[in-house]
Every structure is written in structure tokens, then in C-alpha cells.
Amino acid sequence: MFLAALKVLGGGERPDDAALMAELARGEQTALECLYDRYGRAVFSLALRITQHSGAAEEIVQDVFLQLWKSAPLYQPERGRLEPWLFTIARNRALDHLRLKREKQRRIEDTLEIEPGAVAVPNPEAYVDLQRRSEKVRAVVNSLPAEERRAIELAFFEGMSHSEVAAALAKPLGTVKSWIRNGLIRLREALAAEEMHPRSLGEAP
Amino acid sequence: MKDCLRLKEHYEAFVLGALEGEERAELDAHLARGCPVCTPGVAEARWVVAQLSHAAPDAEPPAALRARLMQRVAETKQLSVPQGEMSEEHGARFTIPFWAWAAAAAVVLFFAVTLWQARQFEEQLATVRSDYKRAQNEKDRLEAQRREMESILAVVAAPGTREVRLKGEGQSAPAVKAYWNEEQGVVLSAQKMPSLPTGRAFQLWVVPRKGNPLSAGVFQPDAAGNLLQLTRVEGSVGLKDAAALAITEEPAGGSPQPTSKPAWVGPII
């Protein structure tokens, strides 16, 4: 069945996330292998960056993909939504792990409560290639002033609140708030600009 | 809406988990009530924030992880789709049970019958209304007739009323009786009156001892030739000044003075 799906998409082209999710919903384990090969590394990198512990990161990756496997039949496969959903779930689990480690039980969100639809790609039809987008994000983050970047990293990878970031950087709360806001607006705009050039996964050489 | 515009700039911080205090509580409340502006706004912010994941230093997961994951996958059952959420994509066909068709048909029939009944009722109501109107007109007519009869009887029975007998010209002409009351008018009564050509009427005249005749009203017998009518004498001429009553045939509207020979004449003695 999976091979059939591959054939439909044409020789040499990689099946998109929606096609793989449809296969996954039918219980095709090979579809999960494909998705793991596509996103496993990025999810692992994220989990490792947050937890700073490879065992924990492996555990999180396994949990996230197992969750994807289990809930695939409930998933409404909409193109492009899978990746941010995987990242969101992975980050929340990794931050939970951090908090447990720090014996802080406060949870921001229940990780299982986030539905794929709660992560909306602004323009799913013009979803740029994973590799290109990854490079773009790094470029934008690296272009930010050092303190601004540090504030965003503390919030994103350490799960710190505005006031925690302000305390960590010994900066006024208002300053930290606008740093984080400005950085994210720049990221959003850069990605939006990138998506002015629509392409599909199939066009990749 | 105004709040949403203000909250908009906090969507990313909210998704990061960095937002605190009142702003966070406010946005939480908006999302809890499914705010149509903030819900999609936050969903899009989740995407932007998730992109920060790419800023993590690239790290290669151990090869064993993939095998371990697939082992777990093989052992783990997928969640089943709840019945209500079955979509066409999963090959489930939604069939409408017989009772639903029957119920739908019953509803349609009910409305059809109700509509038909309403139309019927409306028609009946229209009939009743026109019947009522006709009855009302009839009642008004009878009422007017009754009043006329009452005044006729009042004239005939009044103390000062003088009965005048008018004799017709020719053998076949019936006699006309007139009851003249100076205050209330003249009542004319006759049977088998000759029919008039269209556009013609009879006119009653008071013929005074001196001067020209005075009109005392225009009248027409009914189709059967019966006459019973109250008319009024124009001008102030009393019984003592009158010599006779006369009836002539005139144009339908009446004439100021007689234009034909009297057909009936009754002297006042």
C-alpha cells in the first residue's frame, strides 16, 4: 500500500507529510520510519538542546514518535502541520523534563492537549523545504543582537518566563519583553518572506 | 476586538510560555472562550515559535534509537477512530437508517398537511368574511327598511295626518292613497302600479289654491308594482292652502314643474 502511494507521487519524488500521515493512519509502520528519517534528527537535536541529556533526549524522541504512531488515525493530515506539531510536543516534553529535574512541577501546557490544528502554518501551500527553512531560522537567530538572541534562547530552550529571563540577564523586564517580541517578529517576517517563493517537496533536486 | 489587537503582540511570548501576569490571564481567557481572533493567531504563533527548534545545534541521534522506536511501534496499538469522527478518507460510509428516512418523510408530510390545512382555513375564513359582510349589508338594508316603515307608520298614525285618495286616469290605473302630515311628510301607498319606461319616474305634486304646483318628491314603485314610500313636501305649504295632490310622469331626477298631464289626482276636501 505504501509503495502504491509512492508510485502515485511519481518516481524519485518523496511523499509529502500528508501522504505519509495517511499511510500511517492505515497502520503502515514504514510510513513512521519515513517520518522518523525526515524529522527524527531535528527533534532529537531540540530535545538534546533543552535537556542537555542524551538519554532524556532519546526518551523524548521515542515518546513523540510513539505518540504520533498511536494518534495517527485521529490526525487530520493537513500538509505542513506535522513538523511544527512534532517540535511543539517535543519542546513541551523536554521542558517538562527540565522542570521535573529542577523539581519544579509547574507545567505550561498539557503536552497531550495540543492538537495538530492548534499549530497553524501561515501558508501551508507554500511550505518551504525543511533544510532551507532550518538554515533560514539559524541565519535569522544568528543575526539578532547577542542579548536579544540570548533572551529568546532562554525562553525557548530553558522555558523561562519574561521575569526569569530578566533576572537571568539582569535586565529590566520591559527590555526583555521587547527583545523577545522583536526577535520573534523578525523570525516571522523572514519566514513569511521566504514563503513568497512557493515550492513543493517534490521539486527538490 | 480592541483587546485582541493589543493581545496580538503577545501571542509569541504566550506560546513560548514567557508571558506572565494579567496579559497571560487575559489571553488564557480569550482562548478559553474560543476567541475567533486569538485562537488562529496563537496557532500561527505556535508555528513561528516551533521554528526556533531549528536553532538547536544539530545532533545525530544514535542509530539504535530508530530500531528501539520501531520495536515499540510494533508492540503498540494505534488509537481507533471514534465512531462519530469517521471521515470519508477512512472508507467509512455514512448510511441513513430507515427510521430516519421515515421520520424525515413524516416531518415533510406533517408540514405539507399543515400548509394545506392553513390554506383551507384561509379560504374558509375568506368565505366567512364575505358571508358576514353580505349579512351585515343585508342587516343594514333591513334596518333602513324597518326605520322607513316605522316613519311611514308614524306618519300614517299621527294625529294631524290627512288621508287623500288619488284617482288614476283610465280604468286600469289603481288608486293611490296618500297620508299627508304637515310636519312629517307624505306617505304614498298603492298596488299594481304600471311600470315606467327606463329613465322615467313618478313625481308627486301639491297643487296649492293659488300659484304653481310644489314638488313633493320623486318615487318609483318596485318591480311588482307595489308602492309604499315617504316623501317630503318642498317649501311650506299647509293642508289648508292645498287644493289637491297630483302625480305626473317625469324624467328620473324629477322636474321643477310638471311636464305632463297628471296621471293621478286627489282633491283635498
Side-chain angles (χ1 to χ4, degrees):
Chain A
M1 210 190 278
F2 178 55
L3 287 173
L6 275 178
K7 223 174 248 174
V8 166
L9 288 158
E13 287 186 6
R14 298 185 305 162
D16 65 13
D17 288 356
L20 287 171
M21 284 308 291
E23 289 297 320
L24 200 61
R26 295 189 191 98
E28 289 292 336
Q29 295 181 18
T30 45
L32 192 77
E33 286 179 329
C34 278
L35 288 169
Y36 177 85
D37 291 341
R38 187 171 295 172
Y39 296 114
R41 189 183 181 111
V43 172
F44 179 77
S45 300
L46 171 65
L48 185 64
R49 170 63 184 84
I50 293 171
T51 60
Q52 302 287 316
H53 188 281
S54 77
E58 284 178 45
E59 196 67 29
I60 287 160
V61 169
Q62 191 169 298
D63 275 2
V64 168
F65 281 92
L66 205 58
Q67 180 67 37
L68 180 63
W69 161 255
K70 281 201 288 189
S71 52
L74 311 179
Y75 193 95
Q76 293 295 309
E78 282 180 70
R79 188 177 165 146
R81 285 191 175 171
L82 180 64
E83 182 226 343
W85 182 79
L86 287 172
F87 282 153
T88 303
I89 300 292
R91 174 176 178 250
N92 286 348
R93 296 228 169 157
L95 289 177
D96 278 350
H97 173 88
L98 262 196
R99 291 190 187 105
L100 280 173
K101 209 168 80 176
R102 291 173 187 164
E103 292 180 337
K104 275 190 189 174
Q105 300 280 335
R106 187 173 66 97
R107 286 164 75 103
I108 296 174
E109 293 168 282
D110 186 335
T111 55
L112 297 174
E113 294 280 305
I114 300 179
E115 293 168 18
V119 187
V121 178
N123 184 3
E125 291 307 311
Y127 202 53
V128 299
D129 178 70
L130 183 63
Q131 192 60 41
R132 268 175 68 196
R133 193 150 28 78
S134 172
E135 281 163 13
K136 185 80 192 173
V137 171
R138 276 174 216 205
V140 171
V141 171
N142 287 331
S143 76
L144 296 175
E147 282 179 311
E148 212 171 298
R149 190 177 73 212
R150 186 71 193 130
I152 285 174
E153 283 174 348
L154 286 175
F156 186 76
F157 293 120
E158 314 290 333
M160 286 187 185
S161 67
H162 278 145
S163 51
E164 285 167 338
V165 174
L169 296 179
K171 293 286 175 192
L173 181 62
T175 309
V176 166
K177 279 167 104 169
S178 56
W179 277 348
I180 291 174
R181 190 174 66 235
N182 292 344
L184 285 164
I185 287 169
R186 272 178 69 177
L187 179 63
R188 181 171 62 193
E189 283 169 357
L191 291 170
E194 192 72 10
E195 291 187 5
M196 296 306 283
H197 315 289
R199 39 135 290 117
S200 69
L201 287 166
E203 282 172 29
Chain B
M1 192 63 206
K2 208 177 145 200
D3 289 338
C4 297
L5 285 177
R6 188 167 42 76
L7 288 171
K8 202 179 167 77
E9 65 175 53
H10 300 305
Y11 290 164
E12 278 84 7
F14 175 83
V15 171
L16 265 179
L19 199 64
E20 296 163 301
E22 275 178 37
E23 286 153 349
R24 178 172 167 171
E26 211 178 331
L27 192 45
D28 266 330
H30 273 237
L31 295 176
R33 62 173 162 81
C35 172
V37 177
C38 294
T39 305
V42 165
E44 197 180 318
R46 277 205 179 93
W47 179 82
V48 174
V49 169
Q51 294 310 306
L52 283 172
S53 306
H54 291 295
D58 186 40
E60 172 100 50
L65 178 57
R66 190 178 192 271
R68 222 163 54 232
L69 169 67
M70 292 320 293
Q71 180 63 37
R72 288 286 305 277
V73 163
E75 293 163 358
T76 307
K77 258 186 86 176
Q78 286 184 304
L79 296 168
S80 59
V81 181
Q83 211 61 35
E85 290 175 24
M86 274 264 191
S87 68
E88 287 159 31
E89 238 171 284
H90 297 111
R93 207 169 291 278
F94 178 63
T95 53
I96 299 166
F98 169 75
W99 61 263
W101 284 115
V107 168
V108 168
L109 191 65
F110 171 78
F111 279 110
V113 168
T114 304
L115 200 67
W116 179 76
Q117 281 178 339
R119 290 252 169 85
Q120 290 279 302
F121 180 70
E122 238 167 65
E123 276 171 26
Q124 282 174 4
L125 194 65
T127 309
V128 167
R129 275 202 186 118
S130 81
D131 284 355
Y132 174 77
K133 183 111 179 168
R134 214 174 298 137
Q136 191 72 37
N137 290 345
E138 183 68 8
K139 185 183 153 269
D140 290 349
R141 199 180 64 78
L142 290 170
E143 181 70 13
Q145 216 170 46
R146 189 183 64 80
R147 277 203 197 126
E148 202 185 344
M149 285 313 236
E150 269 176 10
S151 14
I152 286 166
L153 283 171
V155 170
V156 172
T161 299
R162 173 82 65 88
E163 186 184 335
V164 181
R165 206 178 158 79
L166 289 89
K167 225 182 122 204
E169 295 291 312
Q171 294 296 311
S172 62
V176 176
K177 280 179 182 170
Y179 302 87
W180 186 4
N181 183 288
E182 285 186 340
E183 278 108 44
Q184 299 179 46
V186 182
V187 169
L188 294 171
S189 168
Q191 279 92 41
K192 294 175 185 166
M193 292 278 281
S195 57
L196 283 160
T198 42
R200 305 291 285 178
F202 290 121
Q203 193 163 6
L204 179 67
W205 304 96
V206 174
V207 185
R209 293 182 197 283
K210 268 186 234 167
N212 295 324
L214 294 165
S215 173
V218 179
F219 59 89
Q220 275 176 317
D222 68 13
N226 294 319
L227 174 68
L228 183 66
Q229 195 160 344
L230 175 64
T231 66
R232 293 206 172 271
V233 180
E234 284 172 17
S236 52
V237 58
L239 271 164
K240 59 182 191 317
D241 306 317
L245 292 176
I247 295 169
T248 59
E249 193 191 305
E250 300 293 337
S255 303
Q257 284 295 306
T259 57
S260 62
K261 244 184 91 189
W264 284 271
V265 177
I268 294 163
I269 305 144

PDB file of all heavy atoms in Angstrom, chain B residues 4 11 27 29-41:
ATOM      1  N   CYS B   4      -8.090  42.171  21.479  1.00  0.00           N
ATOM      2  CA  CYS B   4      -7.356  41.226  20.643  1.00  0.00           C
ATOM      3  C   CYS B   4      -6.192  41.926  19.937  1.00  0.00           C
ATOM      4  O   CYS B   4      -5.104  41.369  19.839  1.00  0.00           O
ATOM      5  CB  CYS B   4      -8.275  40.582  19.613  1.00  0.00           C
ATOM      6  SG  CYS B   4      -9.599  39.610  20.353  1.00  0.00           S
ATOM      7  N   TYR B  11       1.171  37.059  21.403  1.00  0.00           N
ATOM      8  CA  TYR B  11       0.920  35.667  21.002  1.00  0.00           C
ATOM      9  C   TYR B  11       2.185  34.809  21.100  1.00  0.00           C
ATOM     10  O   TYR B  11       2.154  33.720  21.659  1.00  0.00           O
ATOM     11  CB  TYR B  11       0.381  35.595  19.569  1.00  0.00           C
ATOM     12  CG  TYR B  11      -1.033  36.119  19.376  1.00  0.00           C
ATOM     13  CD1 TYR B  11      -1.500  36.424  18.086  1.00  0.00           C
ATOM     14  CD2 TYR B  11      -1.909  36.286  20.445  1.00  0.00           C
ATOM     15  CE1 TYR B  11      -2.793  36.896  17.881  1.00  0.00           C
ATOM     16  CE2 TYR B  11      -3.200  36.765  20.247  1.00  0.00           C
ATOM     17  CZ  TYR B  11      -3.636  37.072  18.961  1.00  0.00           C
ATOM     18  OH  TYR B  11      -4.893  37.531  18.763  1.00  0.00           O
ATOM     19  N   LEU B  27      -5.205  36.544  27.883  1.00  0.00           N
ATOM     20  CA  LEU B  27      -5.139  35.724  26.671  1.00  0.00           C
ATOM     21  C   LEU B  27      -5.683  34.313  26.927  1.00  0.00           C
ATOM     22  O   LEU B  27      -6.375  33.748  26.081  1.00  0.00           O
ATOM     23  CB  LEU B  27      -3.690  35.685  26.161  1.00  0.00           C
ATOM     24  CG  LEU B  27      -3.436  35.121  24.761  1.00  0.00           C
ATOM     25  CD1 LEU B  27      -4.428  35.649  23.743  1.00  0.00           C
ATOM     26  CD2 LEU B  27      -2.017  35.452  24.316  1.00  0.00           C
ATOM     27  N   ALA B  29      -8.032  33.631  28.906  1.00  0.00           N
ATOM     28  CA  ALA B  29      -9.492  33.767  28.919  1.00  0.00           C
ATOM     29  C   ALA B  29     -10.037  33.825  27.490  1.00  0.00           C
ATOM     30  O   ALA B  29     -11.044  33.190  27.176  1.00  0.00           O
ATOM     31  CB  ALA B  29      -9.890  35.018  29.693  1.00  0.00           C
ATOM     32  N   HIS B  30      -9.318  34.574  26.634  1.00  0.00           N
ATOM     33  CA  HIS B  30      -9.762  34.671  25.230  1.00  0.00           C
ATOM     34  C   HIS B  30      -9.766  33.295  24.569  1.00  0.00           C
ATOM     35  O   HIS B  30     -10.698  32.951  23.858  1.00  0.00           O
ATOM     36  CB  HIS B  30      -8.830  35.604  24.451  1.00  0.00           C
ATOM     37  CG  HIS B  30      -9.233  37.043  24.529  1.00  0.00           C
ATOM     38  ND1 HIS B  30      -9.497  37.813  23.436  1.00  0.00           N
ATOM     39  CD2 HIS B  30      -9.438  37.846  25.603  1.00  0.00           C
ATOM     40  CE1 HIS B  30      -9.831  39.037  23.819  1.00  0.00           C
ATOM     41  NE2 HIS B  30      -9.789  39.082  25.139  1.00  0.00           N
ATOM     42  N   LEU B  31      -8.702  32.522  24.835  1.00  0.00           N
ATOM     43  CA  LEU B  31      -8.596  31.198  24.215  1.00  0.00           C
ATOM     44  C   LEU B  31      -9.631  30.250  24.801  1.00  0.00           C
ATOM     45  O   LEU B  31     -10.201  29.425  24.080  1.00  0.00           O
ATOM     46  CB  LEU B  31      -7.189  30.628  24.395  1.00  0.00           C
ATOM     47  CG  LEU B  31      -6.075  31.395  23.677  1.00  0.00           C
ATOM     48  CD1 LEU B  31      -4.731  30.787  24.009  1.00  0.00           C
ATOM     49  CD2 LEU B  31      -6.289  31.378  22.162  1.00  0.00           C
ATOM     50  N   ALA B  32      -9.896  30.417  26.089  1.00  0.00           N
ATOM     51  CA  ALA B  32     -10.862  29.533  26.752  1.00  0.00           C
ATOM     52  C   ALA B  32     -12.253  29.703  26.155  1.00  0.00           C
ATOM     53  O   ALA B  32     -13.012  28.741  26.056  1.00  0.00           O
ATOM     54  CB  ALA B  32     -10.884  29.816  28.254  1.00  0.00           C
ATOM     55  N   ARG B  33     -12.554  30.941  25.737  1.00  0.00           N
ATOM     56  CA  ARG B  33     -13.880  31.116  25.140  1.00  0.00           C
ATOM     57  C   ARG B  33     -13.825  31.066  23.610  1.00  0.00           C
ATOM     58  O   ARG B  33     -14.713  31.570  22.923  1.00  0.00           O
ATOM     59  CB  ARG B  33     -14.533  32.416  25.621  1.00  0.00           C
ATOM     60  CG  ARG B  33     -13.802  33.690  25.257  1.00  0.00           C
ATOM     61  CD  ARG B  33     -14.639  34.907  25.635  1.00  0.00           C
ATOM     62  NE  ARG B  33     -13.871  36.138  25.702  1.00  0.00           N
ATOM     63  CZ  ARG B  33     -13.545  36.874  24.655  1.00  0.00           C
ATOM     64  NH1 ARG B  33     -13.896  36.498  23.460  1.00  0.00           N
ATOM     65  NH2 ARG B  33     -12.868  37.986  24.827  1.00  0.00           N
ATOM     66  N   GLY B  34     -12.744  30.470  23.104  1.00  0.00           N
ATOM     67  CA  GLY B  34     -12.637  30.245  21.664  1.00  0.00           C
ATOM     68  C   GLY B  34     -12.642  31.510  20.851  1.00  0.00           C
ATOM     69  O   GLY B  34     -13.254  31.573  19.777  1.00  0.00           O
ATOM     70  N   CYS B  35     -11.960  32.543  21.332  1.00  0.00           N
ATOM     71  CA  CYS B  35     -11.904  33.841  20.644  1.00  0.00           C
ATOM     72  C   CYS B  35     -11.521  33.646  19.168  1.00  0.00           C
ATOM     73  O   CYS B  35     -10.500  33.028  18.865  1.00  0.00           O
ATOM     74  CB  CYS B  35     -10.885  34.750  21.324  1.00  0.00           C
ATOM     75  SG  CYS B  35     -10.572  36.273  20.406  1.00  0.00           S
ATOM     76  N   PRO B  36     -12.335  34.143  18.249  1.00  0.00           N
ATOM     77  CA  PRO B  36     -12.085  33.914  16.814  1.00  0.00           C
ATOM     78  C   PRO B  36     -10.857  34.648  16.280  1.00  0.00           C
ATOM     79  O   PRO B  36     -10.403  34.352  15.180  1.00  0.00           O
ATOM     80  CB  PRO B  36     -13.362  34.427  16.141  1.00  0.00           C
ATOM     81  CG  PRO B  36     -13.933  35.417  17.094  1.00  0.00           C
ATOM     82  CD  PRO B  36     -13.550  34.950  18.475  1.00  0.00           C
ATOM     83  N   VAL B  37     -10.342  35.606  17.023  1.00  0.00           N
ATOM     84  CA  VAL B  37      -9.140  36.325  16.581  1.00  0.00           C
ATOM     85  C   VAL B  37      -7.909  35.675  17.194  1.00  0.00           C
ATOM     86  O   VAL B  37      -6.942  35.368  16.493  1.00  0.00           O
ATOM     87  CB  VAL B  37      -9.219  37.827  16.983  1.00  0.00           C
ATOM     88  CG1 VAL B  37      -7.937  38.547  16.586  1.00  0.00           C
ATOM     89  CG2 VAL B  37     -10.422  38.487  16.329  1.00  0.00           C
ATOM     90  N   CYS B  38      -7.960  35.449  18.517  1.00  0.00           N
ATOM     91  CA  CYS B  38      -6.772  34.975  19.228  1.00  0.00           C
ATOM     92  C   CYS B  38      -6.483  33.492  18.959  1.00  0.00           C
ATOM     93  O   CYS B  38      -5.313  33.101  18.923  1.00  0.00           O
ATOM     94  CB  CYS B  38      -6.935  35.223  20.722  1.00  0.00           C
ATOM     95  SG  CYS B  38      -6.990  36.989  21.116  1.00  0.00           S
ATOM     96  N   THR B  39      -7.521  32.678  18.775  1.00  0.00           N
ATOM     97  CA  THR B  39      -7.275  31.247  18.585  1.00  0.00           C
ATOM     98  C   THR B  39      -6.417  30.981  17.341  1.00  0.00           C
ATOM     99  O   THR B  39      -5.381  30.334  17.453  1.00  0.00           O
ATOM    100  CB  THR B  39      -8.601  30.471  18.546  1.00  0.00           C
ATOM    101  OG1 THR B  39      -9.331  30.780  19.730  1.00  0.00           O
ATOM    102  CG2 THR B  39      -8.355  28.970  18.477  1.00  0.00           C
ATOM    103  N   PRO B  40      -6.808  31.503  16.155  1.00  0.00           N
ATOM    104  CA  PRO B  40      -5.939  31.288  14.991  1.00  0.00           C
ATOM    105  C   PRO B  40      -4.607  32.038  15.119  1.00  0.00           C
ATOM    106  O   PRO B  40      -3.578  31.575  14.620  1.00  0.00           O
ATOM    107  CB  PRO B  40      -6.750  31.809  13.809  1.00  0.00           C
ATOM    108  CG  PRO B  40      -7.787  32.698  14.386  1.00  0.00           C
ATOM    109  CD  PRO B  40      -8.055  32.201  15.772  1.00  0.00           C
ATOM    110  N   GLY B  41      -4.641  33.182  15.791  1.00  0.00           N
ATOM    111  CA  GLY B  41      -3.428  33.965  15.971  1.00  0.00           C
ATOM    112  C   GLY B  41      -2.389  33.188  16.769  1.00  0.00           C
ATOM    113  O   GLY B  41      -1.199  33.159  16.405  1.00  0.00           O
TER     114      GLY B  41
END
